[in-house]
Amino acid sequence: MKHEFPADFLWGHATSSYQIEGAHDLDGRQPSIWDRFCETDGKIEDKSDGRIACDHYHRWASDLDVIKNLNAQAYRFSVAWPRVVPTGTGPLNAEGLAFYDRLVDGLLERGIEPCVTLYHWDLPQILQERGGWPERFIVDAFNDYTEHVVKGLGDRVNMWITHNEPWCASVLGYENGEHAPGVQDVYQAMKAAHHLLLSHGTATEIIRGHVPDAKVGITLNLCPAYSASPSTADEKATRFFDGTFNRWFMDPLYKGSYPQDVIEERHRLGQISEPTLDYVLDGDLKTIATPTDFLGINYYSRAIIRDHSIPESENEKRTLHDPPKAELTDMGWEVYPEGLYDLMMRVHQDYAPASVYITENGAAFPDQIEPDGTIRDAHRQQYFESHLAQLHRAIASGVPLDGYFAWSLMDNFEWAFGYTKRFGVVRVDYDTQKRTIKNSGKWLRDVYSNNGF
Ligand code: FCB
């Protein structure tokens, strides 16, 4: 075997609650910011929503059989806050938690390790009405919600992820408004990011308090940035992009500080009135930097950065990193597996987390069922293969990578793109809810069975 992975490497698939569950108003669930956002004109490409999605709320048992059939050792899913605490704060909704109870038992019965994400973007709408993530009260609310979930599942779940992609939850949700709740205000987004990070730190302690052997981490979507040219202007723009996208989250988590150069640039750009962060209170950074057991990384593509204030004609060297023949996924994202290697090395060298998991990696491509029932999604399979090869290389270079979760188990509600993008290794026919394993899923099954390829 050319690419053999370490003996105890964990292989799994990932999903999130709003993208698959459906059952939007069953057993006491109240609306999340995504239910509300989907009702807003022009926000979702196909005008769809997550009311039914993959109907996983009813089909969970057969879906777990599919995961088993795919030979996965672990399954990463998220808990829906508006199911478990529909009022946002306050009492537990036992019927809501019971769904995850069944799910966890069902996984353990099948010998699959549950990996729980506490927050994958479905904030109770009622909390957004009080200001949502930009307001500090949200940290206590998240703590209480965490406590309910951990008390209910902590006797059987060891692997915990506090937040999924705080960059998306803050920037897409509160800065450019492409995601729920659709706010467009950079300062609100900065505050949201801070409270997401702060609540990660406090929740980490809560989880540890109830689950002594817990492995706790946070998942970030990190994006390696490459300058479009060696010009000073492009290099500077690249540093700022990296600063807002990667270092803004990694520095507080691993160094206990926000990057000063980014604070100054934000001030120069008028994003903050003083070169300080007035919403950061004493002790916050220490809490955010609470040591964790692992870092979860979601990787899809890289970024090529240019300073747009400089006319293209004045910068002839700009094509340095432009990939004229690059393959793009259905999301328009460049397929760039080497970026994953570069990213792993950078994180290892600059921040040295003791353990890393790839908690999402995958690609959207259109696919179809052939008359013989197969789904020949060669592009998706090739994407997995090339990215796993880079991860194998990173392990050989000393990165402590302990597991890999493919995104996604099945086609699902892809946020602002609705059902127009298919990321699954299992195809979902949304009319019949029939599941069909794609060739990429079969290929991954072999990888997972053989611990390599
Ligand atoms: C990530 C999200 C996940 C999915 C993939 C494609 O940003 O965490 O829910 O939408 O992108």
Side-chain angles (χ1 to χ4, degrees):
M1 202 166 13
K2 231 172 116 195
H3 301 94
E4 188 169 354
F5 282 73
D8 49 0
F9 198 79
L10 192 69
W11 296 103
H13 293 284
T15 62
S16 88
S17 46
Y18 191 72
Q19 295 181 275
I20 64 166
E21 285 178 359
H24 70 111
D25 59 357
L26 281 194
D27 300 332
R29 183 187 180 277
Q30 290 291 316
S32 74
I33 52 175
W34 273 93
D35 295 272
R36 179 59 52 84
F37 192 67
C38 291
E39 289 166 0
T40 316
D41 260 2
K43 292 296 186 187
I44 311 297
E45 188 171 319
D46 58 1
K47 299 186 171 44
S48 66
D49 54 51
R51 285 201 270 187
I52 299 174
C54 307
D55 195 31
H56 173 71
Y57 193 78
H58 296 112
R59 294 166 197 267
W60 62 271
S62 48
D63 285 339
L64 297 193
D65 290 340
V66 173
I67 302 174
K68 178 81 193 153
N69 187 334
L70 289 169
N71 258 325
Q73 300 157 358
Y75 174 51
R76 173 180 177 232
F77 63 94
S78 77
V79 171
W81 187 344
R83 260 188 220 294
V84 172
V85 187
T87 43
T89 59
L92 167 76
N93 171 34
E95 269 190 289
L97 187 67
F99 171 68
Y100 300 103
D101 214 58
R102 294 193 287 277
L103 195 67
V104 166
D105 283 344
L107 285 165
L108 295 176
E109 277 161 23
R110 290 166 180 79
I112 301 163
E113 176 170 359
C115 168
V116 170
T117 305
L118 286 165
Y119 187 72
H120 200 128
W121 309 351
D122 41 1
L123 183 72
Q125 173 63 27
I126 198 166
L127 296 182
Q128 180 54 33
E129 272 146 36
R130 290 171 61 193
W133 287 107
E135 298 305 320
R136 203 173 165 99
F137 84 92
I138 201 79
V139 176
D140 284 337
F142 185 69
N143 290 343
D144 293 349
Y145 155 67
T146 297
E147 181 122 19
H148 286 308
V149 178
V150 171
K151 273 188 183 161
L153 307 179
D155 57 336
R156 286 153 295 154
V157 174
N158 264 316
M159 191 171 180
W160 294 85
I161 292 170
T162 53
H163 286 292
N164 178 70
E165 304 188 348
W167 180 88
C168 289
S170 56
V171 174
L172 300 181
Y174 293 91
E175 181 175 330
N176 67 26
E178 285 171 24
H179 277 188
V183 175
Q184 295 184 336
D185 180 326
V186 69
Y187 184 63
Q188 296 285 308
M190 289 167 68
K191 285 169 69 185
H194 184 65
H195 298 138
L196 284 155
L197 289 171
L198 186 59
S199 66
H200 152 76
T202 52
T204 297
E205 288 302 329
I206 293 169
I207 299 166
R208 291 231 172 91
H210 288 278
V211 191
D213 301 334
K215 284 204 286 183
V216 190
I218 186 169
T219 279
L220 302 181
N221 52 316
L222 298 176
C223 182
Y226 302 81
S227 179
S229 82
S231 77
T232 313
D234 285 345
E235 298 272 8
K236 191 174 162 225
T238 305
R239 184 160 169 76
F240 185 61
F241 175 93
D242 177 62
T244 56
F245 208 106
N246 302 315
R247 289 184 288 127
W248 198 257
F249 297 90
M250 287 298 284
D251 279 18
L253 287 166
Y254 286 91
K255 297 183 171 169
S257 59
Y258 281 103
Q260 193 56 37
D261 62 308
V262 185
I263 295 178
E264 277 157 26
E265 185 65 5
R266 285 185 185 282
H267 176 239
R268 201 185 64 77
L269 293 170
Q271 297 182 350
I272 38 178
S273 52
E274 297 296 325
T276 52
L277 304 176
D278 57 7
Y279 51 79
V280 178
L281 305 188
D282 275 357
D284 284 6
L285 285 161
K286 189 159 179 277
T287 303
I288 294 172
T290 300
T292 51
D293 301 289
F294 67 89
L295 172 69
I297 295 179
N298 295 350
Y299 176 82
Y300 290 94
S301 188
R302 67 160 164 180
I304 296 169
I305 304 296
R306 58 196 70 225
D307 178 343
H308 288 286
S309 65
I310 297 180
E312 292 294 309
S313 55
E314 283 177 27
N315 198 334
E316 287 175 2
K317 289 192 198 133
R318 200 156 240 178
T319 51
L320 185 71
H321 279 298
D322 266 351
K325 288 199 197 106
E327 187 192 4
L328 304 182
T329 70
D330 201 23
M331 300 293 281
W333 299 343
E334 182 195 356
V335 177
Y336 191 65
E338 293 81 5
L340 180 53
Y341 177 81
D342 292 350
L343 174 66
M344 298 298 285
M345 295 312 291
R346 190 272 178 104
V347 166
H348 182 52
Q349 276 150 15
D350 289 1
Y351 301 98
S355 165
V356 178
Y357 287 83
I358 295 299
T359 41
E360 287 179 29
N361 175 235
F365 286 108
D367 50 46
Q368 60 185 57
I369 301 205
E370 304 295 334
D372 67 357
T374 57
I375 298 159
R376 301 200 187 101
D377 58 337
H379 290 285
R380 187 175 292 100
Q381 177 177 323
Q382 177 53 36
Y383 183 96
F384 285 126
E385 183 164 349
S386 58
H387 286 73
L388 284 173
Q390 294 298 328
L391 289 174
H392 185 265
R393 213 182 130 206
I395 294 172
S397 305
V399 174
L401 180 69
D402 290 316
Y404 177 88
F405 292 83
W407 185 271
S408 179
L409 170 66
M410 54 186 156
D411 297 335
N412 58 48
F413 175 76
E414 179 47 40
W415 309 113
F417 296 92
Y419 298 96
T420 65
K421 309 291 177 202
R422 292 184 179 269
F423 272 95
V425 302
V426 174
R427 185 178 169 93
V428 175
D429 177 330
Y430 295 110
D431 294 329
T432 61
Q433 291 294 349
K434 186 170 188 280
R435 276 60 164 152
T436 310
I437 298 178
K438 304 178 189 180
N439 279 0
S440 63
K442 294 180 185 165
W443 184 81
L444 277 180
R445 169 167 58 198
D446 288 343
V447 175
Y448 291 11
S449 310
N450 300 329
N451 198 33
F453 60 99

